[in-house]
Amino acid sequence: MANTTQTLRQLTAADVLASLGSLRAKQPVKYAAFYSSQLGGIVTDPSLMVIPFDDHMVHRGHGIFDTAGLVDGKIYDLEAHLDRFHRSAEHSRLAMPMPRAALREVIIATVAASGQRHGAIRYWLSSGPGSLELSPAAGAEPGFFVMVFPGLSYPERWYTDGLKVMTTTYPIKPSLYAVTKSTNYLPNVLMQMEAKASGVDNGVFIDANGHVGESSNMNVAFVTSDGVLRHPRFDHILQGCTSLRALDLARRLQHDGLLRGVEVCDIPVAEARAAREMLLLGSSVKVAPIVAWDGQPIGDGTPGPVSKALLALLEEDMRTGDRLIPVMY
Ligand SMILES: Cc1ncc(COP(=O)(O)O)c(C=O)c1O
């Protein structure tokens, strides 16, 4: 409990450091390393991984982020994630604090400092501190932050038995905001909370035209009854780096006869519900089968072969493909 007004006191810098330390003792986290352009370097003590309360990203949500995977000491597909980071920055009118090559070096150095070989790297760009106004403070310097952490994990049953999803009651973000990976994730958070409260694993956004959108922090795709892998167009949803890569890798399944084609197109809900398979795609989940949507089975209600084959292709690409950046620890 917080102190009562009678006992509130003014804190010294040492008091603040002690409080930050005891907060983390009560709530341990596995953040291995954090870079902050505002602090001017890397810290490994989670109690020091902080950002000023008046940073525009904190009090107005004027910030962007992205997350790349760390696999066996190598960073996977970082260039695709940096492409999206730059696009999100442009849409958000955020200036980059350093050139792309320097961002990449900072990310790699933070991973090296973490000593971690598996997990995730999340990085943010903020428009900086300096006021509580709606527009960024005059002269505010953009902040760049990098966190190395274990990554999000999901139950094994998602892969063995498949997941259940529901159509969310929350409206999809307007296109400009959906294609921008900003720190405004309220609809995504509410959708996932709604799904969990309803006893299913996640939600799906549908757009105003009745086309399938995406899930909370993942994309969705379908295999039609005649064997075509269909993915929603990326003009009204986030362009998933996993989806982009998986759509490319999926062409190999055409040679194996598992797929007849790969298409990125508008997908009306009725068509989607008649699919043979429904897939969830994202950097954290990779590829997982969805077996039920709004209480109705997808296909025969069991995980299908395309989701399994695509997961294997993606995992192979993450281990041995040509999109890996080695970290010099
Ligand atoms: C809203 C949303 N859609 C889709 C994705 C999937 O993107 P990626 O494959 O790059 O993880 C994410 C994750 O970043 C997301 O937050």
Side-chain angles (χ1 to χ4, degrees):
M1 283 289 281
N3 289 334
T4 63
T5 35
Q6 282 89 356
T7 56
L8 276 183
R9 61 198 174 91
Q10 286 203 19
L11 304 175
T12 64
D15 291 334
V16 171
L17 280 180
S19 291
L20 289 171
S22 58
L23 185 75
R24 287 316 187 184
K26 274 187 282 183
Q27 186 205 40
V29 286
K30 291 192 177 141
Y31 306 143
F34 175 70
Y35 164 85
S36 160
S37 62
Q38 293 169 345
L39 298 177
I42 298 169
V43 290
T44 54
D45 176 349
S47 61
L48 302 178
M49 298 175 180
V50 292
I51 179 168
F53 78 94
D54 64 337
D55 193 292
H56 217 217
M57 180 165 78
V58 175
H59 72 97
R60 296 292 188 186
H62 189 201
I64 58 155
F65 72 107
D66 219 297
T67 313
L70 176 63
V71 189
D72 201 16
K74 300 186 187 89
I75 305 174
Y76 178 63
D77 213 6
L78 182 60
E79 297 312 319
H81 288 276
L82 284 177
D83 287 346
R84 188 170 65 189
F85 195 59
H86 276 78
R87 277 201 309 276
S88 295
E90 265 173 42
H91 293 154
S92 309
R93 299 193 181 194
L94 284 165
M96 284 290 166
M98 54 186 97
R100 179 171 172 139
L103 293 179
R104 188 188 301 117
E105 288 313 311
V106 168
I107 289 170
I108 296 170
T110 310
V111 176
S114 78
Q116 299 300 303
R117 301 187 64 82
H118 295 278
I121 311 142
R122 185 166 295 171
Y123 39 94
W124 294 259
L125 177 66
S126 82
S127 63
S131 80
L132 294 176
E133 303 281 341
L134 207 54
S135 291
E141 279 183 33
F144 181 55
F145 312 92
V146 183
M147 181 74 88
V148 181
F149 68 112
L152 309 182
S153 58
Y154 303 103
E156 187 53 29
R157 73 167 171 82
W158 280 24
Y159 303 91
T160 52
D161 305 349
L163 305 93
K164 296 181 178 144
V165 295
M166 64 178 279
T167 303
T168 185
T169 61
Y170 291 101
I172 192 169
K173 289 176 186 170
S175 299
L176 171 66
Y177 306 123
V179 302
T180 304
K181 200 161 167 61
S182 82
T183 50
N184 296 273
Y185 260 49
L186 185 60
N188 314 56
V189 168
L190 291 174
M191 171 162 79
Q192 198 175 75
M193 290 175 74
E194 175 184 49
K196 285 185 178 166
S198 307
V200 296
D201 300 302
N202 216 330
V204 179
F205 285 122
I206 305 299
D207 75 13
N209 300 316
H211 298 143
V212 178
E214 61 188 333
S215 187
S216 60
N217 53 338
M218 303 155 191
N219 290 111
V220 291
F222 302 87
V223 181
T224 62
S225 55
D226 56 350
V228 177
L229 177 65
R230 286 222 169 114
H231 194 293
R233 279 150 41 93
F234 294 110
D235 57 352
H236 64 140
I237 55 171
L238 193 74
Q239 187 178 72
C241 300
T242 315
S243 284
L244 282 187
R245 190 65 187 133
L247 288 168
D248 217 20
L249 294 170
R251 298 187 195 278
R252 293 193 204 159
L253 302 181
Q254 282 179 256
H255 301 297
D256 302 346
L258 213 52
L259 282 177
R260 216 172 46 77
V262 176
E263 285 173 8
V264 176
C265 56
D266 284 332
I267 306 178
V269 173
E271 250 177 51
R273 290 194 195 278
R276 194 158 79 191
E277 287 185 50
M278 182 171 178
L279 280 50
L280 204 54
L281 299 138
S283 298
S284 54
V285 73
K286 299 188 188 87
V287 183
I290 295 170
V291 294
W293 181 6
D294 291 336
Q296 297 300 311
I298 297 290
D300 67 3
T302 64
V306 173
S307 117
K308 207 170 159 189
L310 256 190
L311 175 62
L313 284 177
L314 194 71
E315 285 184 329
E316 188 196 348
D317 196 52
M318 294 175 86
R319 276 194 313 270
T320 60
D322 58 4
R323 296 179 170 218
L324 295 164
I325 299 179
V327 177
M328 298 300 156
Y329 291 91

